[in-house]
Amino acid sequence: MHQPLRRRWQNKFKHAFRGLAFALRTQDSFRVHLPMAIAVAALAWILQVPYLHGCLLVLCVGVVFAAELFNTSIEMLVRRLHPQQHHDIGIALDLAAAAVLAVAIAAAVIGVIIFVHSFLIQI
C-alpha cells in the first residue's frame, strides 16, 4: 500500500537535505561555492540591489549549486559502476565538470554586471 502523500513528500525533503549535507561534508568545490553565495548575498544587501536583480542572483547561485550537485552525483555513480579508468568515461566526467565551470562563469559575469551597476547607481 502507498504511503500518504504528505509522508512521501516529507521523505523527499529528508533525502534532499541528506544529499545537501553530504555535499557540504565531502565536496571541496561545493564548500567553495557556499562562502561565495554568502558573499553574493552580503554584497547584494550592502549595495541594496533591486528586487529583480536580487532574484536573478539567487537564481544564479541556485543553478551553480544544482550543477555542482549533478556533477557530484555523476562522478559518484560512474566511479561505483565503472571503477576502472576508461578514456570515454574520463571525457564524460570532464564534460560534467566543464558544465559546472560554464555555469559558474556565467553566474560570475551576471554578478559582476549587477554589482557594478548597483555600485555606479550609488555614487
Side-chain angles (χ1 to χ4, degrees), residues 22 65 92 97 99 118:
F22 177 83
F65 281 165
S118 293

Side-chain angles (χ1 to χ4, degrees), residues 1 13-14 21 28 38 42 46 55 68 72-73 78 80 90 93 109-110 119:
M1 185 162 186
F13 280 103
K14 180 178 77 171
D28 292 337
I38 292 168
I46 290 167
C55 291
E68 190 63 55
T72 299
S73 65
V78 166
R80 175 72 170 118
L93 292 173
V109 169
I110 290 168
F119 178 74

Side-chain angles (χ1 to χ4, degrees), residues 20-36 64-65 68-69 71-72 75-76 100:
L20 191 59
F22 177 83
L24 285 169
R25 276 193 326 272
T26 64
Q27 302 303 306
D28 292 337
S29 54
F30 198 85
R31 288 192 299 252
V32 169
H33 292 302
L34 186 60
M36 293 303 290
V64 171
F65 281 165
E68 190 63 55
L69 291 167
N71 183 47
T72 299
E75 287 176 357
M76 292 187 73
V100 176

Side-chain angles (χ1 to χ4, degrees), residues 28-71:
D28 292 337
S29 54
F30 198 85
R31 288 192 299 252
V32 169
H33 292 302
L34 186 60
M36 293 303 290
I38 292 168
V40 164
L43 191 55
W45 183 73
I46 290 167
L47 292 176
Q48 297 177 346
V49 168
Y51 176 78
L52 205 51
H53 292 169
C55 291
L56 186 57
L57 291 171
V58 169
L59 180 62
C60 286
V61 168
V63 169
V64 171
F65 281 165
E68 190 63 55
L69 291 167
F70 285 135
N71 183 47

